[in-house]
Amino acid sequence: MGPSAVTYLLLKYLHVLGAIVILGTGTGTGIAFFMLMAHRSGSAAFIAETSAVVVLADKLFTATAVAVQPVTGYLLMRESGYAFTDGWIALSLGLYLVAGVFWLPVVWIQARMRDLARGAAADGAPLPAAYHRLFRIWFVFGFPGFGSVAAILWLMIAKPEI
């Protein structure tokens, strides 16, 4: 196996790993599951602790993967001879932007929900209406965010001629 093949496989590995991290944490099932379970508990203290971990996970894992994906994707595209104008790549990039449009506000929403839950827990008060409103927005934003990333994964695998 020559240097070019090793480079390609390393890039592909990093790119797939990034997709796994994004699907599992950022727009994906891991964070959504833990946030939803915490919310369903109704416990402000539990929600505060869970959302603090979620915000940290987004900073450490999701943000890193989100930053690395375009780099590895571009390098893979260059190594493979694809172009930005190839339909599946153009659509993937558009969907990546859609995912970002929904993910960026969610990062802020999660931090705000954490702060509201911390305040309610400290005061021994119920979760405020603002928390519930933000949770509904967070929940709805998850569908296009996750759906976009899931569609990108399919496009990466299938590489359909569009």
Side-chain angles (χ1 to χ4, degrees):
M1 186 180 310
S4 182
V6 171
T7 300
Y8 174 80
L9 288 176
L10 179 61
L11 288 170
K12 190 171 188 178
Y13 174 77
L14 293 173
H15 198 68
V16 170
L17 184 60
I20 291 167
V21 169
I22 291 171
L23 278 169
T25 57
T27 63
T29 54
I31 282 179
F33 176 78
F34 292 115
M35 286 293 287
L36 182 59
M37 292 298 103
H39 173 77
R40 290 191 60 193
S41 77
S43 166
F46 185 52
I47 292 167
E49 290 299 320
T50 301
S51 56
V53 171
V54 162
V55 168
L56 179 61
D58 261 345
K59 286 179 182 175
L60 292 176
F61 302 114
T62 311
T64 302
V66 165
V68 170
Q69 279 305 94
V71 175
T72 58
Y74 171 75
L75 294 172
L76 274 171
M77 185 181 74
R78 197 178 70 186
E79 282 285 318
S80 302
Y82 289 108
F84 287 116
T85 55
D86 291 333
W88 70 272
I89 290 179
L91 182 54
S92 293
L93 291 170
L95 288 169
Y96 197 74
L97 291 175
V98 169
V101 163
F102 286 94
W103 177 69
L104 287 172
V106 161
V107 172
W108 177 84
I109 288 170
Q110 289 169 168
R112 185 69 183 121
M113 288 167 50
R114 175 201 61 205
D115 296 344
L116 290 168
R118 279 181 178 163
D123 296 342
L127 293 162
Y131 167 86
H132 293 286
R133 185 174 54 257
L134 287 171
F135 178 83
R136 287 189 297 275
I137 295 167
W138 175 87
F139 187 82
V140 169
F141 276 27
F143 290 98
F146 179 80
S148 296
V149 174
I152 293 167
L153 184 61
W154 181 82
L155 289 167
M156 284 181 1
I157 293 166
K159 296 177 179 63
E161 292 190 28
I162 300 173

